[in-house]
Amino acid sequence: MSVSWSKDTEAQAGSTATGSQTSDRSAADEKGNRSRGRSILKSYKSEDSNPQSPGSYDTISRIALRHMMSLSDSKISKLPNSLIEMCVVVGMDDDTGLKYSRRSHAQPDRGDGIGEIFRQPMEPSVLAVISNQLAYFPQSKVQVDPFYPPIAAVTTPMSPASSQGFAPHAMRTLPPRRLSVTARRLSIKPRALPFPHNQEMINSLPPLCFPGDCFVQETRPEDHLHSVVLTSISGRRSYAVCLITHRQYSVKQMPGGGGLCLVECPSSTTTVRQTDSDESNDKLLCWVPTCIVLISQQPYFTLLKECLSTLIPQLKDKPYTLFHVLKEFTLQLTMVPIPPAGPVSINFLLGEVLTVHPPEHPDKPVVDITLHLPFLLFSVDQILQILACILTQQRIVFLSHDFALITPIIECFMMYILPFKWPFVYVPVVWNAMLDLLEAPGCYIMGCSSAHRLRIAQIEGLVMVDLDRGQVQVCDTVKALPSIPTRAAEDFKEKFQQIRTGCFDIAMLSRPIAASFEAEKARREKLQRAFQRDITDLFLELLVIVFRDTSEYINTELRVFKQEDFLSSRAKEDREFYKQVLHTELFKQFKEDRLDQKKDYYTQMEKRSHRLSVIGGGSSGELSRLRKTSSLVSNPAEPRVMTRKSSVNDLSKSLPSTQKSVNFMMPPFRLPLSTPQTYYEECIDQLGYNIQSVKTPTVKASYLFLRGMFKIGCGRPLDGLDDFHSLHTTDLSIFPFRAVEQVIDALSIPDKEHLHKQDFYKKAEILRKISQRRKRPQLSQTPVLHPEDLPQEGVIEQSEFIKHMQYTEIAIDLDVIERVFNALTAAQGYLDTETFIYFHDAWKESEAEADEIPTCVFDHLLKNCETVLKLSSLIRSDFGTGRLVLTDKRLFFLIEGSNEYKEVILLRNIDKLEKFDSIYLVLQSAPALRIFSKRESDPPFVANLKAERNCWFTLITEMWAGRNISDAQKDPQVVQQAARNVLLLDAVIRSAENPGATHARHLDAAAWQLCHFTRLKSEGMAKVTPETSSVLVHKFNPSSNEAQRTTVEAMIYTPGKIGSDDDNHPRLWCAMGSGRVKVFNGSNFVLEAEIDEAKDRVCCLQLVRGDQVWAGSFDTTIYIIDVVSYTANKQLVEHDDIVSDITTDEDSSMAYTASLNGQVNVWDTQSLVLKNTINLDNTDKLVSIKYYKGNIWCCTKDDIRLVNLEGEELRRLQHIDAQGVPQLIEAFIIAHDMVWTGCGRQGVVACWDVNTLSKKKEMKVSCRGISRLVEVKGRIWAGSKQGKIHRFDCKTGKYMNELSAHDDAVRALCKAEDRYVITGAGSRDGKVAVWRAGAMRF
């Protein structure tokens, strides 16, 4: 594939001069442009050395770059309901050459060469990925087309010096050498390519395009089409139609076994073997397959087939124009919308007029497939048997020699079972390399080649549906397979015999041929669509009869389905069928819809056929009359009553006279576009005119829907939302909830504020609900990288490196990013661009490898949320041949050739690692790794990792150290951090394989920079004192969902019932330095809610009356939070300074709030009325207050003042040391009629008589000061500013022990029902630790 931007540039330059461009000119000869480009490149070599020379290469590169950047902010927005999402080209060309498949036995370096190319399968590659925003060519030197999409942009005027002697055609034909470097940067840039599917799904297309292997042909085969279904990780399905065509190439073997290269040839060249007299290698002409894939979000199989068929004539005549044609072709199809359910179809011109028909119902996929195909292959009894297999969730495999037949047949059955939806593995096309999927456990529906019939027949528990033979074979190991209930099956057969006359061939026997081809095509399409609706109605009515009266056994208030009563009401011979179906996942979702009283097409049919439930109770005439009125109205906009004895004439008049289908003709598509919005604006204007003139509500609703989508595509989301809001007056059933959610979520903050001011938004309750249920954005947003900010050449400073790392989410923590930067730069202080690219590529490679783990291993071994960190290459070990796998919890061995695995060892059970050379008979020595277990009974595990040994030793050591520290500190977050370090280490080591990487010469030092937990372990972090280990229960970071750690300012524990299903469970409330109040489940410490009403730090919390939490903030406000709803709808704003503490009396009838300026407010907690205000004199440091026996104790740091409720000072306590110097009182508590104080600048804890305020005891510990105190079970817990906890006996004052708690000061301290003590630390540590209160160790 020789990608040339020259023709696209020529189109744009020509459009600037003439304003338009004809289709003949747009199809200019790419081959000629290539040759001209090569010659001009040679002529510019001399000029390239002088950047200022007129027309020099650098000048042209800068112009191309400016052009690309000018379009970066004006790209065509994606139409949310576009017909296709992208076009992918798969195959081989002159950029890839011919590569034998991994399963091939021939290899060029063995001398097999050209002679084997027609007998051995080849390895196809993704050649192009084209959306409406980007054309990406991964195999080309220039990977991103800078001039796509073709927009007639006004070029920047050039200076006289640079423009002298320069002509636009020079840039048209010049291969952009410097631009190729830039394009590579853009193609692997941290910013993801704007494709609607991830790279994994795109990379999975080659085997799906050639499921029967990819072969080079001696003669040109016929073009071939087939369809596939793609399923994302989230379960969303996309539908693809593939066109396989062939292009002629000349094959030549490179000298020295360097592979097979391809050179594109004119299509008229005959297939002959030629021998070049000047070269020793043979040249052979062959036909190389190329697959063009169109991917859509709706199953428009027939329409996409028609679209691809329009390409065939042009590709046969001029195959070298493939990529240019596809860029224009894809751009047009991405700008064609899918209409909503209703009477409006979309017509567009693509060689001929093509039609996009709407779905029949908003809840149903579009029917664009021949639904009577299965009836041509199977009998009605066999179809019902297959239907029963699907409804009972069997493992079903569809077989055929033609892959083009498999997907349509399976999709027909998916349409037959609606409203049931298959929730399990669904792979209509299984390629040869993935046949092992058939042996995976669980339910699935798959399709594969009938060539594997004998091997598939040996798999137990399968139902084989042979499309070639028209057979349904049930494996002997499948338990008795029930049939569709007899009465429903007989009724279905009778009705099918009545409607099958609707087939076009039968219906047209008595009809004359239309006068024109277009009229005949329209009539055929009309009759076929009517017949399709009859078939869907027939199967829907079958399911209604099978599950008749389900709603009568449902209690919607209690949400209960009376299953036993329902079973007992069924006929005895049918109960086995219902027993199996009622326990399936298919019926579970169906039942949930009925419990939700969902009003869908099933409900409509059920209402119309309800009277049929009395079959057997009426005369045949009565039944006939009932059946005539029981047909479902498939489309609300097309009410249609169909009798079961419909005549041919009736079927030919399927569209009613009351509401006919309406066609909206898209404007002609012309390139280049003058602006990205030009085409959409034409559509909007045309729809606006139609909306003004139309009177039918359903037609108007469809027009409003389409206009709203076009406005979003124009970059006018608010106008689009206005049109969607107008649907409530026409047809709200087609409201695009998903598109509206995406639009609102993508709005910037100013746009959202502007939206909230719009009149239509104030009236649109549905828009407000969608807006309100969107997640609140994170406090710290990922930096946005624009194209001009991406690394292109030169060096990357640390600040820029941080932006790239955070944007790609490779790492967020600044400390981690700094370590990576130091590792990659080898202490140079800057990073070259190439090294960054090597590192980023290595990171992506490791991600792709982790995805290769078999699904069944994830289902069974990794069910505990393990993360795969590293896979080895194929190695020999004590468990045989296979691959070693490292996760964040263990090592396991994946045996080659099967999905079996064996656990090697848990990381916490590793005793030591040993590197050594293993001796064998064949190999004199091989680097190996020996892993010893702490269990003496387990022998050491030996893995011959060879060249990978040192890497694996480093990675296992780091993960092992992280696991040990996590276990010692009882902090699960350390494991996550160590896992991230392992991934970064792996990427650094991989990238060092490139000799040009800066750190390649200093790999050991670079790796050691990232062995963070290995160093911490060597420093003793993996060991804690026995006292700390016996008391510490758990640690967690309450700021884990934020960009930076913040101080835990205060905490309270609200009691409840552990394990309670309702809201009556314990909770831990944390006041954070970020201004948020976070609520955690008190039993598992899972975050339940965040309240971020405060404008500054929240520094105190108090439970009031059991149903409120009062939070005092630095913004002088007290926020009253409801403990059930977590809402803070009430505020107290009477303080003039920072609210420092809150307390209550014994029954919480009165609350006392303090601020630093000495103000104490007294509140009635019921009415929230301010009863009194007490002002302390000569203080600006009132940090805490306590209510005790009718008085208020106030700590001002200089002293503690005892005042009564009227504000009269009774006594004052000062801590004077032995030298007579007053000590700063940081914290105090009252316990057992004693006042305990902690000095803020010394490690002194004093005890005072509560009545006389005389000092009873004074205890000293080694620390900078005491920050918090709490009393639990007769023990005093004193938190220090060094992060330690000191414990004293409350009665004797004896010092008990010291606990290692945090790496920063203890800023919050509370108790949980005398069972636990909970501490919170400053921002340097930022963690919460839970301690066992009863455990004591002297």
Side-chain angles (χ1 to χ4, degrees):
M1 177 188 67
S2 296
V3 181
S4 174
W5 312 137
S6 57
K7 180 160 48 52
D8 296 325
T9 313
E10 179 178 3
Q12 293 173 24
S15 65
T16 305
T18 64
S20 64
Q21 182 182 27
T22 63
S23 59
D24 293 338
R25 188 176 179 187
S26 65
D29 193 316
E30 283 192 5
K31 191 175 184 65
N33 283 339
R34 289 198 204 108
S35 61
R36 290 195 302 271
R38 296 190 188 99
S39 62
I40 294 178
L41 176 61
K42 294 179 181 178
S43 67
Y44 271 88
K45 283 184 177 179
S46 60
E47 297 182 5
D48 193 26
S49 60
N50 182 10
Q52 302 302 326
S53 62
S56 67
Y57 187 85
D58 288 342
T59 302
I60 296 174
S61 292
R62 288 194 295 271
I63 295 173
L65 282 173
R66 283 200 298 269
H67 177 79
M68 181 173 60
M69 296 307 176
S70 69
L71 300 180
S72 62
D73 295 330
S74 60
K75 290 286 188 182
I76 301 174
S77 300
K78 183 183 183 302
L79 200 63
N81 62 332
S82 59
L83 176 59
I84 70 167
E85 296 183 302
M86 62 181 175
C87 173
V88 182
V89 182
V90 176
M92 299 159 287
D93 64 3
D94 45 357
D95 279 326
T96 65
L98 290 183
K99 299 176 183 178
Y100 287 110
S101 172
R102 298 172 185 175
R103 297 178 300 281
S104 173
H105 300 292
Q107 295 297 335
D109 55 1
R110 291 192 328 202
D112 296 331
I114 293 180
E116 293 289 324
I117 65 171
F118 298 123
R119 294 187 290 272
Q120 297 295 336
M122 299 294 170
E123 192 74 31
S125 303
V126 176
L127 304 180
V129 184
I130 308 172
S131 69
N132 72 324
Q133 296 178 320
L134 191 68
Y136 175 57
F137 302 91
Q139 309 302 327
S140 174
K141 294 181 180 178
V142 183
Q143 294 186 329
V144 177
D145 185 347
F147 302 109
Y148 179 86
I151 299 170
V154 178
T155 58
T156 305
M158 300 175 59
S159 63
S162 62
S163 61
Q164 182 179 3
F166 176 78
H169 67 270
M171 186 173 66
R172 286 182 240 150
T173 56
L174 184 64
R177 183 184 61 186
R178 185 71 56 83
L179 185 58
S180 67
V181 178
T182 302
R184 169 167 170 75
R185 303 295 185 271
L186 294 173
S187 67
I188 64 156
K189 60 184 181 293
R191 185 176 184 178
L193 295 174
F195 292 134
H197 293 283
N198 57 31
Q199 192 68 31
E200 178 189 358
M201 183 174 289
I202 295 174
N203 291 337
S204 69
L205 286 175
L208 290 173
C209 294
F210 303 98
D213 287 332
C214 179
F215 290 91
V216 174
Q217 305 293 334
E218 294 185 75
T219 59
R220 177 166 188 164
E222 291 292 328
D223 293 329
H224 178 78
L225 290 111
H226 69 278
S227 52
V228 297
V229 179
L230 308 172
T231 305
S232 67
I233 298 176
S234 62
R236 185 172 69 91
R237 291 177 185 170
S238 297
Y239 305 88
V241 177
C242 309
L243 168 64
I244 299 178
T245 186
H246 290 73
R247 294 183 290 170
Q248 195 174 42
Y249 284 89
S250 172
V251 186
K252 177 183 176 182
Q253 184 160 8
M254 299 297 292
L260 301 174
C261 66
L262 294 174
V263 179
E264 192 171 2
C265 300
S267 59
S268 60
T269 306
T270 57
T271 304
V272 294
R273 179 184 289 269
Q274 302 174 351
T275 303
D276 194 330
S277 59
D278 298 332
E279 298 179 9
S280 59
N281 295 321
D282 288 342
K283 290 183 179 180
L284 181 67
L285 296 180
C286 63
W287 293 92
V288 177
T290 300
C291 184
I292 304 170
V293 187
L294 295 183
I295 302 177
S296 175
Q297 55 187 328
Q298 288 289 336
Y300 281 100
F301 294 111
T302 303
L303 177 59
L304 296 184
K305 178 180 178 181
E306 293 176 350
C307 293
L308 286 171
S309 299
T310 63
L311 294 173
I312 295 176
Q314 188 170 1
L315 295 182
K316 283 186 176 180
D317 294 339
K318 298 179 180 180
Y320 44 80
T321 64
L322 170 67
F323 295 108
H324 173 73
V325 170
L326 285 182
K327 284 186 283 185
E328 296 185 355
F329 174 80
T330 303
L331 184 60
Q332 179 177 359
L333 292 185
T334 56
M335 301 180 77
V336 175
I338 295 175
V344 175
S345 300
I346 303 293
N347 287 352
F348 65 98
L349 185 63
L350 192 68
E352 58 180 292
V353 177
L354 300 179
T355 303
V356 187
H357 293 286
E360 295 181 355
H361 192 278
D363 294 330
K364 294 177 68 175
V366 69
V367 179
D368 192 40
I369 198 170
T370 307
L371 289 180
H372 67 276
L373 273 180
F375 291 93
L376 303 179
L377 303 176
F378 302 100
S379 66
V380 177
D381 288 328
Q382 288 176 317
I383 289 177
L384 292 177
Q385 182 184 9
I386 298 172
L387 201 67
C389 293
I390 296 175
L391 293 177
T392 55
Q393 294 182 183
Q394 304 299 323
R395 303 167 70 196
I396 309 172
V397 179
F398 290 78
L399 301 175
S400 177
H401 73 282
D402 187 1
F403 283 99
L405 184 61
I406 298 177
T407 299
I409 294 295
I410 299 178
E411 279 294 308
C412 284
F413 281 99
M414 294 297 99
M415 296 296 301
Y416 292 167
I417 66 172
L418 292 175
F420 294 92
K421 297 179 181 178
W422 184 258
F424 304 103
V425 177
Y426 180 68
V427 188
V429 175
V430 179
W431 58 99
N432 294 343
M434 297 299 292
L435 289 175
D436 58 329
L437 289 177
L438 300 176
E439 302 183 55
C443 306
Y444 57 71
I445 292 178
M446 297 188 188
C448 64
S449 173
S450 56
H452 310 292
R453 181 186 294 106
L454 295 179
R455 284 188 287 170
I456 294 174
Q458 300 175 9
I459 302 175
E460 296 184 353
L462 289 186
V463 176
M464 295 173 54
V465 181
D466 195 324
L467 305 183
D468 300 333
R469 301 178 179 180
Q471 297 176 352
V472 180
Q473 180 180 344
V474 182
C475 181
D476 295 337
T477 57
V478 177
K479 61 181 180 180
L481 190 64
S483 303
I484 295 291
T486 306
R487 191 166 294 179
E490 293 300 326
D491 186 71
F492 176 85
K493 295 175 185 178
E494 177 187 350
K495 295 174 183 177
F496 176 73
Q497 294 299 323
Q498 295 169 1
I499 71 164
R500 66 177 182 173
T501 56
C503 181
F504 175 79
D505 295 327
I506 299 176
M508 289 305 299
L509 289 176
S510 61
R511 286 280 188 179
I513 301 298
S516 65
F517 173 77
E518 290 76 11
E520 183 67 14
K521 180 181 177 182
R523 177 190 292 178
R524 182 185 186 94
E525 184 177 347
K526 180 178 178 181
L527 288 174
Q528 284 182 338
R529 291 185 61 80
F531 189 42
Q532 305 284 58
R533 285 195 293 267
D534 291 341
I535 293 177
T536 56
D537 292 351
L538 180 61
F539 277 96
L540 183 59
E541 190 168 344
L542 168 66
L543 294 176
V544 167
I545 295 175
V546 169
F547 297 99
R548 182 189 301 126
D549 303 333
T550 302
S551 57
E552 296 183 7
Y553 297 89
I554 286 179
N555 188 323
T556 55
E557 295 182 359
L558 300 177
R559 297 189 64 80
V560 172
F561 173 61
K562 303 175 183 178
Q563 182 172 308
E564 296 300 327
D565 294 343
F566 178 79
L567 280 175
S568 62
S569 67
R570 305 297 99 180
K572 190 174 183 179
E573 62 274 14
D574 299 332
R575 289 179 184 173
E576 183 59 32
F577 170 82
Y578 286 105
K579 284 182 181 178
Q580 292 193 29
V581 171
L582 295 185
H583 291 89
T584 62
E585 289 294 324
L586 281 88
F587 184 80
K588 180 179 178 181
Q589 183 57 51
F590 172 80
K591 179 180 65 177
E592 290 297 321
D593 290 340
R594 302 315 107 188
L595 289 171
D596 294 336
Q597 298 181 339
K598 185 176 181 179
K599 306 298 182 183
D600 55 5
Y601 49 93
Y602 178 88
T603 306
Q604 296 175 21
M605 172 64 87
E606 189 177 35
K607 289 180 179 179
R608 285 170 173 77
S609 60
H610 179 69
R611 295 171 64 187
L612 287 176
S613 61
V614 294
I615 288 181
S619 63
S620 59
E622 175 68 12
L623 292 178
S624 177
R625 183 180 66 81
L626 290 174
R627 286 175 179 171
K628 288 181 181 181
T629 60
S630 64
S631 177
L632 167 69
V633 178
S634 300
N635 189 340
E638 297 182 7
R640 176 171 63 94
V641 178
M642 182 189 69
T643 66
R644 291 305 176 195
K645 294 183 179 180
S646 302
S647 65
V648 175
N649 293 334
D650 293 333
L651 286 169
S652 65
K653 302 175 182 178
S654 60
L655 289 176
S657 59
T658 56
Q659 179 62 63
K660 293 185 177 180
S661 178
V662 178
N663 292 328
F664 173 73
M665 185 67 191
M666 298 283 291
F669 188 76
R670 301 182 182 91
L671 288 177
L673 304 173
S674 58
T675 66
Q677 295 80 21
T678 301
Y679 189 70
Y680 290 154
E681 291 289 356
E682 292 183 34
C683 298
I684 291 172
D685 294 341
Q686 188 172 334
L687 285 168
Y689 175 80
N690 293 351
I691 290 172
Q692 295 297 327
S693 58
V694 73
K695 297 182 180 179
T696 308
T698 52
V699 176
K700 184 177 181 180
S702 297
Y703 284 157
L704 286 169
F705 178 97
L706 292 172
R707 190 173 71 173
M709 291 295 181
F710 281 126
K711 288 180 178 178
I712 293 174
C714 269
R716 295 159 49 189
L718 301 189
D719 294 339
L721 293 176
D722 192 359
D723 279 342
F724 294 149
H725 161 65
S726 301
L727 290 175
H728 80 280
T729 61
T730 52
D731 185 2
L732 197 57
S733 65
I734 63 173
F735 187 87
F737 287 95
R738 181 180 175 185
V740 170
E741 287 182 358
Q742 293 174 347
V743 168
I744 293 179
D745 192 37
L747 291 177
S748 63
I749 295 178
D751 286 339
K752 287 183 179 179
E753 293 176 352
H754 188 53
L755 172 64
H756 296 163
K757 298 176 182 178
Q758 300 297 309
D759 292 337
F760 75 87
Y761 180 82
K762 297 176 182 178
K763 301 175 184 178
E765 182 180 358
I766 189 170
L767 290 179
R768 292 197 303 273
K769 288 182 178 179
I770 292 176
S771 179
Q772 292 169 1
R773 71 183 180 190
R774 303 304 297 165
K775 292 183 179 180
R776 188 185 300 274
Q778 295 293 325
L779 181 65
S780 178
Q781 298 292 330
T782 303
V784 178
L785 298 182
H786 299 287
E788 59 270 22
D789 298 327
L790 297 172
Q792 297 175 12
E793 58 184 10
V795 298
I796 302 175
E797 301 294 337
Q798 184 170 349
S799 59
E800 186 181 3
F801 181 76
I802 290 173
K803 288 197 301 182
H804 295 326
M805 294 287 285
Q806 289 181 333
Y807 185 85
T808 56
E809 297 184 355
I810 294 177
I812 303 297
D813 189 274
L814 294 178
D815 293 335
V816 175
I817 297 176
E818 183 179 357
R819 289 197 291 268
V820 177
F821 184 80
N822 292 334
L824 293 177
T825 58
Q828 291 182 3
Y830 59 87
L831 180 66
D832 66 277
T833 303
E834 291 298 325
T835 300
F836 176 78
I837 292 173
Y838 295 146
F839 170 75
H840 185 267
D841 285 347
W843 177 269
K844 292 300 181 183
E845 287 174 8
S846 63
E847 286 183 345
E849 281 190 0
D851 294 335
E852 296 177 3
I853 294 291
T855 304
C856 61
V857 176
F858 276 103
D859 291 342
H860 295 94
L861 179 66
L862 307 180
K863 58 186 177 182
N864 297 322
C865 301
E866 292 183 65
T867 302
V868 175
L869 305 177
K870 177 71 174 175
L871 285 82
S872 74
S873 59
L874 200 63
I875 64 169
R876 179 179 178 178
S877 75
D878 291 344
F879 292 161
T881 302
R883 302 176 189 275
L884 189 64
V885 182
L886 172 65
T887 77
D888 56 347
K889 293 184 179 181
R890 73 191 80 201
L891 284 162
F892 70 89
F893 192 78
L894 196 61
I895 299 175
E896 183 71 10
S898 71
N899 291 333
E900 297 181 5
Y901 61 89
K902 290 186 178 181
E903 182 177 276
V904 175
I905 193 171
L906 294 175
L907 293 175
R908 59 166 51 97
N909 291 336
I910 295 178
D911 184 56
K912 69 175 181 178
L913 301 176
E914 181 184 45
K915 293 188 288 186
F916 74 105
D917 289 338
S918 181
I919 307 298
Y920 292 94
L921 295 176
V922 180
L923 295 174
Q924 292 183 355
S925 65
L929 184 65
R930 185 180 285 122
I931 305 172
F932 293 88
S933 173
K934 292 180 180 178
R935 300 176 182 176
E936 296 181 358
S937 59
D938 294 343
F941 175 81
V942 177
N944 295 337
L945 290 162
K946 301 180 182 178
E948 300 179 63
R949 183 195 60 183
N950 292 344
C951 172
W952 273 87
F953 180 86
T954 303
L955 299 183
I956 295 175
T957 301
E958 176 69 5
M959 195 65 237
W960 174 32
R963 173 60 66 175
N964 288 345
I965 294 175
S966 173
D967 292 343
Q969 300 289 336
K970 299 182 182 179
D971 185 356
Q973 187 185 22
V974 173
V975 174
Q976 302 172 15
Q977 296 170 345
R980 175 67 60 170
N981 273 10
V982 167
L983 293 173
L984 293 170
L985 262 170
D986 186 36
V988 168
I989 295 173
R990 282 173 183 261
S991 59
E993 296 175 1
N994 297 278
T998 304
H999 60 289
R1001 298 183 299 274
H1002 313 281
L1003 181 56
D1004 291 340
W1008 182 246
Q1009 286 279 349
L1010 295 174
C1011 293
H1012 177 65
F1013 292 102
T1014 303
R1015 288 198 305 273
L1016 291 181
K1017 182 180 178 180
S1018 65
E1019 295 170 2
M1021 281 290 293
K1023 297 180 180 179
V1024 297
T1025 62
E1027 292 84 357
T1028 300
S1029 180
S1030 64
V1031 182
L1032 181 61
V1033 177
H1034 181 64
K1035 274 188 180 182
F1036 69 94
N1037 179 14
S1039 302
S1040 60
N1041 61 335
E1042 299 179 19
Q1044 296 179 343
R1045 294 179 181 179
T1046 55
T1047 300
V1048 183
E1049 299 282 356
M1051 296 185 298
I1052 60 169
Y1053 181 88
T1054 56
K1057 184 177 180 181
I1058 297 179
S1060 176
D1061 294 334
D1062 54 18
D1063 291 333
N1064 187 27
H1065 58 260
R1067 295 182 177 92
L1068 177 66
W1069 300 67
C1070 298
M1072 309 300 297
S1074 61
R1076 298 184 178 186
V1077 176
K1078 299 192 176 187
V1079 187
F1080 297 87
N1081 187 298
S1083 55
N1084 54 23
F1085 301 102
V1086 173
L1087 181 65
E1088 291 187 349
E1090 293 186 22
I1091 302 97
D1092 57 353
E1093 298 290 336
K1095 301 177 182 61
D1096 206 335
R1097 296 161 57 183
V1098 177
C1099 53
C1100 55
L1101 298 171
Q1102 177 66 39
L1103 179 65
V1104 178
R1105 296 175 56 236
D1107 59 355
Q1108 296 176 351
V1109 169
W1110 289 22
S1113 170
F1114 270 44
D1115 63 10
T1116 73
T1117 303
I1118 299 173
Y1119 300 89
I1120 301 177
I1121 306 171
D1122 185 271
V1123 299
V1124 176
S1125 63
Y1126 302 126
T1127 56
N1129 296 327
K1130 301 176 182 178
Q1131 300 177 6
L1132 304 178
V1133 295
E1134 277 71 14
H1135 280 284
D1136 301 326
D1137 203 349
I1138 294 173
V1139 179
S1140 56
D1141 201 5
I1142 304 173
T1143 188
T1144 63
D1145 57 14
E1146 293 87 348
D1147 58 0
S1148 288
S1149 61
M1150 304 297 291
Y1152 306 89
T1153 60
S1155 54
L1156 288 181
N1157 61 357
Q1159 179 183 354
V1160 178
N1161 288 341
V1162 183
W1163 304 88
D1164 184 294
T1165 58
Q1166 180 68 34
S1167 61
L1168 300 183
V1169 174
L1170 180 62
K1171 294 296 186 179
N1172 188 21
T1173 297
I1174 300 172
N1175 290 298
L1176 302 184
D1177 298 331
N1178 302 323
T1179 183
D1180 58 357
K1181 298 187 293 291
L1182 178 57
V1183 293
S1184 63
I1185 59 174
K1186 308 290 182 187
Y1187 178 90
Y1188 184 74
K1189 292 185 178 180
N1191 294 320
I1192 304 175
W1193 295 69
C1194 306
C1195 177
T1196 66
K1197 287 196 174 183
D1198 296 326
D1199 53 37
I1200 297 177
R1201 305 180 189 182
L1202 176 62
V1203 298
N1204 58 24
L1205 299 184
E1206 287 73 31
E1208 179 183 358
E1209 181 176 328
L1210 304 178
R1211 277 175 294 177
R1212 184 176 296 197
L1213 183 152
Q1214 283 186 307
H1215 190 165
I1216 308 296
D1217 64 10
Q1219 287 74 30
V1221 178
Q1223 296 296 310
L1224 190 70
I1225 301 176
E1226 187 77 21
F1228 84 102
I1229 58 172
I1230 303 174
H1232 303 285
D1233 292 332
M1234 304 290 286
V1235 179
W1236 294 80
T1237 60
C1239 294
R1241 296 177 181 172
Q1242 295 183 16
V1244 177
V1245 177
C1247 175
W1248 313 77
D1249 185 276
V1250 73
N1251 297 315
T1252 63
L1253 299 185
S1254 59
K1255 184 188 297 185
K1256 297 296 184 183
K1257 304 182 186 70
E1258 183 175 286
M1259 297 140 286
K1260 295 184 178 181
V1261 293
S1262 177
C1263 68
R1264 295 199 312 266
I1266 303 298
S1267 55
R1268 292 292 183 269
L1269 295 171
V1270 71
E1271 183 273 333
V1272 183
K1273 289 188 174 181
R1275 272 83 176 180
I1276 298 296
W1277 293 58
S1280 73
K1281 293 185 177 181
Q1282 290 173 293
K1284 306 287 186 180
I1285 296 177
H1286 304 275
R1287 300 194 296 178
F1288 306 89
D1289 184 274
C1290 194
K1291 294 182 179 179
T1292 64
K1294 183 178 179 180
Y1295 180 74
M1296 304 182 71
N1297 59 6
E1298 176 187 277
L1299 306 177
S1300 300
H1302 300 282
D1303 295 330
D1304 201 348
V1306 177
R1307 297 292 297 273
L1309 192 59
C1310 72
K1311 59 182 179 180
E1313 299 177 332
D1314 286 342
R1315 297 174 58 213
Y1316 299 101
V1317 174
I1318 306 174
T1319 59
S1323 59
R1324 194 172 67 239
D1325 180 277
K1327 295 183 179 181
V1328 171
V1330 182
W1331 308 84
R1332 192 175 291 106
M1336 283 291 151
R1337 201 179 272 229
F1338 294 89

